[in-house]
């Protein structure tokens, strides 16, 4: 009947599986525990074919002491510190009288264990005539796939397809059709006219000009087709399914800083560098010996033992490095306007901390 709205019943859009079914993946020897999207966890490295090199004592250890900073250096660092603060009067830094300087040099021990870990997962991509090599021969084991040479002590990652695991499968999302019902119109190709709200008329008997009285309009999202290209296979209908190998190189680093009684908060020391006194790099380092501070020796032995036990279970240790830095910390006591104050100069950068700076003002930025 003329003027009557032609209402097409909306079709329910079938929901495809969000994850590929397990049956989509072939059983590959050596990769039986590999999952899709969640990997199979990190794969422990195989036992070495040859005895691993045993750690040896590090290089000869130098004199562990360095002289304290001079009064001129301490004052110059204080002046620079004050001038960098817009609210600080430079008077205390320039005119304060230094009455005492106490050195609280402290040591920072750092152990770095550079590891390689490997994990696998089933992946897929639209099939566009890529090579298909599954079952041409057995795939190499996860730790037998060649990877690029890493840069020691630098985090990195490489992802690659495992050879001889690639095959084609119908797309599990669109069931091999290459298209899916449009979500905007539920597959109908049209939807209720937004001007007349589906009635086909505007005012009284005036036919709606927007939809020509049909009460529905073509769906702009799918151009009236009712379906759209499958976003998973990009319309190719098939997927290339393969095992992805992720190789991660990680520099696992831990520090131990000797407690010092200067009053400077320990977190400040993590932001500065020190004078490197000792460096030892080996496949596996030997625990520190002969250091004058027994707390550093104990910390080094504990960390070396922990690292070699912890990281060898899930990854392959490629190199270890242990260093000792001496971080200079000087507590400076000075007098200004008859009152005593303190500040700290620390690190190779001569960083200053002065929480009780006596001449500050409140600045307002307009």
């Amino acid at each position: 009947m003329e003027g009557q709205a032609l209402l097409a019943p909306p079709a329910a859009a079938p929901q495809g599986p969000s994850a590929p079914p397990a049956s989509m993946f072939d059983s590959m020897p050596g990769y039986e525990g590999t999952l899709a999207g969640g990997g199979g966890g990190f794969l422990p490295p195989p036992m070495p074919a040859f005895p691993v090199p045993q750690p040896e004592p590090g290089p000869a250890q130098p004199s562990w002491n360095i002289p304290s900073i001079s009064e001129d250096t301490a004052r110059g660092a204080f002046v620079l510190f004050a001038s960098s603060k817009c609210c600080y009067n430079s008077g205390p830094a320039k005119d304060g009288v230094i009455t005492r300087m106490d050195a609280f040099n402290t040591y920072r021990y750092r152990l770095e264990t550079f590891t390689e870990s490997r994990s696998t997962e089933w992946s897929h991509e639209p099939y566009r005539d890529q090579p298909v090599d599954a079952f041409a021969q057995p795939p190499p084991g996860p730790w037998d796939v060649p990877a690029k040479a890493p840069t020691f002590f630098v985090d990195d990652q490489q992802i690659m397809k495992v050879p001889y695991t690639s095959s084609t499968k119908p797309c599990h999302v669109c069931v091999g059709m290459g298209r899916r019902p449009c979500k905007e119109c539920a597959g109908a190709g049209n939807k209720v006219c937004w001007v007349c709200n589906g009635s086909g008329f505007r005012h009284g008997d005036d036919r709606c000009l927007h939809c020509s009285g049909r009460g529905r309009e073509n769906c702009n999202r799918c151009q009236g087709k009712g379906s759209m290209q499958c976003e998973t296979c990009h319309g190719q209908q098939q997927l290339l399914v393969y095992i992805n190998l992720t190789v991660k190189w990680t520099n696992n680093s831990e520090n131990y800083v000797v407690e010092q009684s200067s009053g400077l908060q320990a977190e400040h020391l993590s932001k500065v560098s020190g004078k490197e006194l000792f460096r030892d790099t080996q496949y596996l380092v030997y625990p520190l010996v002969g250091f004058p501070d027994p707390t550093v020796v104990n910390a080094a032995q504990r960390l070396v033992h922990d690292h070699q036990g912890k990281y060898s279970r899930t990854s392959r240790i490629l190199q270890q490095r242990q260093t000792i830095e001496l971080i200079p910390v000087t507590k400076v006591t000075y007098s200004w306007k008859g009152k005593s104050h303190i500040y700290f100069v620390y690190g190779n950068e001569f960083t200053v901390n002065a929480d009780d700076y006596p001449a500050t003002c409140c600045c307002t930025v307009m």
Side-chain angles (χ1 to χ4, degrees):
M1 184 182 298
E2 186 178 79
Q4 184 177 355
L6 304 176
L7 302 179
Q15 297 296 320
S18 57
S23 59
M24 185 171 168
F25 306 115
D26 299 316
S27 177
M28 291 292 172
Y31 295 87
E32 289 82 357
T34 301
L35 305 175
F42 286 104
L43 306 168
M47 293 295 293
F50 302 98
V52 299
Q54 294 302 304
E56 299 179 357
Q61 298 167 1
S63 170
W64 300 108
N65 297 314
I66 61 173
S68 301
I69 63 173
S70 67
E71 183 175 317
D72 287 343
T73 300
R75 182 179 298 280
F78 199 26
V79 171
L80 286 176
F81 166 78
S83 64
S84 69
K85 306 289 186 178
C86 67
C87 297
Y88 282 27
N89 185 305
S90 61
K94 292 181 178 179
D95 303 329
V97 178
I98 294 178
T99 58
R100 181 170 176 173
M101 293 178 57
D102 297 300
F104 293 86
N105 295 339
T106 189
Y107 300 108
R108 176 166 57 208
Y109 173 82
R110 175 179 290 125
L111 176 64
E112 299 167 275
T113 299
F114 186 65
T115 60
E116 176 183 317
S117 60
R118 299 192 171 203
S119 61
T120 58
E121 67 175 354
W122 280 103
S123 299
H124 56 76
E125 62 188 49
Y127 177 60
R128 294 188 174 93
D129 296 325
Q130 301 96 316
V132 176
D133 56 10
F135 302 109
Q137 66 181 65
W143 286 91
D144 296 326
V145 178
K148 66 181 182 181
T151 301
F152 283 170
F153 307 110
V154 176
D155 290 354
D156 201 358
Q157 176 175 290
Q158 182 181 7
I159 301 176
M160 65 193 96
K161 294 178 182 177
V162 176
Y164 308 113
T165 63
S166 297
S167 62
T168 58
K169 306 290 181 183
C171 177
H172 61 286
V173 175
C174 65
V175 200
M177 300 297 292
R179 300 187 68 84
R180 298 196 67 200
C182 174
K183 295 180 180 179
E184 189 78 17
C185 63
N190 55 67
K191 54 186 179 179
V192 173
C193 174
W194 66 272
V195 177
C196 66
N197 199 27
S199 68
F201 298 92
R202 287 297 304 276
H203 305 291
D205 295 332
D206 294 339
R207 179 183 296 183
C208 177
L209 299 179
H210 183 75
C211 63
S212 300
R214 296 189 304 128
R216 301 186 70 85
E217 58 178 323
N218 283 347
C219 176
N220 291 328
R221 184 173 177 85
C222 64
Q223 285 78 48
K225 296 177 181 178
S227 64
M228 299 186 65
Q229 178 177 287
C230 175
E231 295 178 353
T232 301
C233 68
H234 294 183
Q236 300 299 311
Q237 302 180 349
Q238 287 190 307
L239 298 173
L240 183 74
V241 179
Y242 54 89
I243 294 178
N244 249 346
L245 172 68
T246 300
V247 184
K248 293 185 68 174
W249 294 279
T250 306
N251 190 38
N252 306 278
S253 178
E254 282 191 74
N255 295 331
Y256 172 79
V257 178
V258 177
E259 293 185 6
Q260 37 84 27
S261 56
S262 67
L264 179 67
Q265 296 298 316
E267 59 263 22
H268 293 302
L269 300 181
S270 65
K271 303 173 184 177
V272 298
S273 63
K275 175 181 173 62
E276 186 175 286
L277 302 179
F278 175 79
R279 175 185 290 257
D280 177 26
T281 303
Q282 299 187 57
Y283 163 61
L284 295 175
V285 298
Y286 193 85
L288 193 66
V289 293
F291 191 76
D293 190 323
T295 62
V296 175
V297 174
N298 293 336
Q301 292 176 345
R302 173 179 57 82
L303 290 177
V304 168
H305 180 267
D306 290 349
H307 275 220
Q308 293 178 0
K310 176 169 60 175
Y311 295 116
S312 61
R313 289 196 296 267
T314 58
S315 56
R316 176 180 285 168
I317 296 177
L318 302 181
Q319 197 86 174
Q320 286 190 306
R321 178 168 65 193
Q322 56 181 346
T323 56
I324 295 177
E325 293 174 282
L326 192 149
I327 307 175
V329 179
T330 303
K331 180 180 180 180
V332 182
T333 305
Y334 68 100
S335 176
W336 190 70
K337 290 188 176 182
K339 293 185 178 181
S340 182
H341 306 274
I342 64 170
Y343 65 91
F344 297 93
V345 183
Y346 56 99
N348 284 346
E349 300 81 0
F350 301 121
T351 301
V352 170
N353 175 266
D355 289 338
D356 69 339
Y357 194 81
T360 62
C361 63
C362 181
C363 293
T364 302
V365 178
M366 300 300 291

